[in-house]
Amino acid sequence: MNVHETYVLSPARQLTDEENRLVWKKPSSHQISEEEQRICKEVKRNWDRGEMKIANILLEGDAGSGKTQLAKALSANFGLPYTKVTCFADMDKSDIIGAILPVIPSEQLEKLEPAEQRIWQAIYDSDSLHHITEVLMDALQITQEQAALQMKQMLKRAAEYTDGEAVEYRFYPSEIVRAYQKGYLLEVQEPNVIRDAAVLMALNSALELDGSINLPTEIIHRHPDFIAVITTNRSYAGARPLNEALRDRVQHSEKMDLPGKEVMMERAISKTGYQDEKVLSVLADVIIILDRTARANAIKGVAGMRSFFYWTDAVAGGASVKESLYHKVIYKITTDDEEIKILEEALEKNGLLASLEDVANQVKKNRKSVIQ
């Protein structure tokens, strides 16, 4: 029996074709972690226990520690469609609930620039705020935050086009509402960046196990299969901590650190195909020491799994071991000269600069033997 078959939460539930497409499919490179197994066991064990149900999960750790990968793995294991919302500082309640948009009369629509006409038509063909955001991001090649701002500007212009006329309005639910109502696994990325207390209150109330959301058109109740996975980077000095009321609604938390060295190496082999364990061992040691040193010295950047994968891949592709260390790892942590010096001294103190020289020489010899 596969892991995902063991932990499916609602075996009798029939997903639509679209929902089946949203259930994450694990790639061959996916390695099952202790955190994944622990969460799955706890959620499955408590699923039918009423108030003891675990349906809000917090994954807190450094960038690149595998939070989103784990959230997607839970989708596969639980058999739930996966979707996400990426929070940003200036989110307002419409980003949590959805937005009411006016339908511009066709004669007014024809007066707009062709590009804007196409955008509005794409919006009217959409069925959720998430799809509208994607339309704007794709059409204008902008970020999600910029798309939200663009939407607000378009709403102002739409009000001008429909001024003094009988206007039809249409409600577009947010991705949060869609997941909440239909019973998806929703990853809520970085809610600690939200500034508006009213937005946080709306999000908090949505996460109550028996909660409901007041929409402009109706009141909806939390689907029994809805799971919220909150993923947030570990707080640094000066960073806004995760809202306490939000944290209080979580029933299970995981502190996402770098995995053990053996797991790091296994994942790198699966991800990159590079199999020289001696080289991988030294590269993993470097990442571990840089990660510890950055934390101990309040250096804001992190050395995580993502850096490890890209560094390994660069070495596998023929890049200099030491030179690519800076471009794939150290400069991602910091470009401050004093902080770089601290990191270099830590590597030297632990004998890793010498180990990197040895590894670099070995890689060169291996390449020469392959060429010959």
Side-chain angles (χ1 to χ4, degrees):
M1 184 177 283
N2 293 329
V3 170
H4 72 273
E5 291 173 343
T6 306
Y7 295 114
V8 168
L9 298 175
S10 298
R13 178 177 172 183
Q14 295 294 311
L15 301 179
T16 66
D17 290 343
E18 180 192 356
E19 288 173 341
N20 268 313
R21 284 192 293 271
L22 291 174
V23 177
W24 196 61
K25 310 298 184 289
K26 291 184 181 182
S28 58
S29 61
H30 180 77
Q31 300 287 323
I32 298 172
S33 65
E34 290 181 16
E35 292 91 345
E36 180 181 338
Q37 290 181 319
R38 183 163 47 242
I39 293 170
C40 288
K41 286 177 182 175
E42 278 297 287
V43 171
K44 182 73 172 180
R45 183 174 70 86
N46 288 277
W47 193 244
D48 297 314
R49 296 184 63 203
E51 292 182 358
M52 295 303 294
K53 183 176 185 176
I54 294 173
N56 298 328
I57 298 160
L58 172 64
L59 307 178
E60 192 167 18
D62 294 324
S65 57
K67 298 184 294 294
T68 289
Q69 177 93 352
L70 176 50
K72 290 177 177 178
L74 295 178
S75 157
N77 294 339
F78 296 149
L80 295 177
Y82 166 85
T83 189
K84 70 176 182 180
V85 58
T86 304
C87 300
F88 52 92
D90 294 321
M91 283 181 81
D92 60 26
K93 285 186 76 173
S94 70
D95 296 305
I96 300 294
I97 294 172
I100 297 176
L101 304 184
V103 178
I104 300 173
S106 56
E107 60 272 16
Q108 291 286 357
L109 202 58
E110 289 169 3
K111 295 177 184 177
L112 303 181
E113 294 292 326
E116 194 166 4
Q117 281 187 44
R118 286 195 294 273
I119 290 173
W120 274 108
Q121 193 56 57
I123 286 171
Y124 294 144
D125 291 340
S126 302
D127 63 358
S128 74
L129 197 61
H130 177 69
H131 291 154
I132 293 174
T133 302
E134 288 182 335
V135 165
L136 291 174
M137 289 169 68
D138 183 57
L140 305 175
Q141 295 296 298
I142 55 177
T143 66
Q144 179 183 340
E145 190 166 357
Q146 290 168 332
L149 180 61
Q150 184 72 26
M151 171 65 69
K152 291 173 179 62
Q153 292 171 346
M154 289 180 70
L155 278 173
K156 287 180 181 177
R157 291 201 297 276
E160 295 169 5
Y161 302 142
T162 56
D163 188 34
E165 299 185 28
V167 182
E168 176 192 345
Y169 287 91
R170 194 179 301 168
F171 176 69
Y172 293 85
S174 71
E175 195 64 3
I176 293 174
V177 164
R178 193 164 78 108
Y180 187 90
Q181 189 172 27
K182 294 189 174 185
Y184 295 175
L185 184 144
L186 172 73
E187 181 186 359
V188 184
Q189 297 181 334
E190 302 301 330
N192 54 318
V193 304
I194 299 172
R195 291 183 187 143
D196 192 331
V199 175
L200 280 169
M201 282 179 63
L203 185 57
N204 289 343
S205 63
L207 293 182
E208 295 285 0
L209 281 180
D210 59 350
S212 61
I213 300 177
N214 291 325
L215 303 180
T217 53
E218 59 182 322
I219 297 174
I220 61 166
H221 297 277
R222 179 173 182 150
H223 190 287
D225 286 350
F226 174 68
I227 290 180
V229 179
I230 299 164
T231 57
T232 181
N233 287 341
R234 200 185 317 282
S235 295
Y236 298 105
R240 186 185 292 109
L242 186 65
N243 177 269
E244 283 303 317
L246 191 60
R247 190 182 285 275
D248 189 50
R249 282 162 174 77
V250 167
Q251 296 98 20
H252 185 94
S253 300
E254 291 284 347
K255 180 172 174 279
M256 300 287 289
D257 293 316
L258 277 175
K261 181 177 170 180
E262 294 301 317
V263 175
M264 288 177 68
M265 292 170 62
E266 284 175 13
R267 289 185 185 174
I269 291 169
S270 297
K271 206 81 164 176
T272 67
Y274 187 67
Q275 302 203 15
D276 190 322
E277 292 192 2
K278 183 178 178 183
V279 175
L280 285 167
S281 176
V282 174
L283 268 54
D285 284 337
V286 169
I287 293 288
I288 291 166
I289 290 300
L290 290 176
D291 179 58
R292 289 176 186 165
T293 305
R295 290 175 199 264
N297 292 275
I299 298 172
K300 288 192 175 183
V302 294
M305 289 299 293
R306 217 170 282 151
S307 298
F308 182 46
F309 293 152
Y310 279 103
W311 187 23
T312 300
D313 193 60
V315 171
S320 158
V321 174
K322 287 193 72 174
E323 187 177 325
S324 57
L325 164 64
Y326 285 85
H327 298 294
K328 302 298 183 182
V329 185
I330 289 180
Y331 292 157
K332 278 187 68 179
I333 301 172
T334 181
T335 53
D336 180 87
D337 289 339
E338 289 301 315
E339 291 180 340
I340 290 172
K341 188 177 178 183
I342 291 170
L343 297 175
E344 290 172 335
E345 287 173 351
L347 293 179
E348 187 169 10
K349 180 181 175 183
N350 286 274
L352 287 170
L353 291 183
S355 296
L356 283 173
E357 288 288 353
D358 293 341
V359 160
N361 291 331
Q362 181 186 323
V363 170
K364 285 178 186 175
K365 285 179 186 175
N366 291 346
R367 286 205 190 97
K368 283 181 182 176
S369 63
V370 169
I371 293 169
Q372 290 171 355

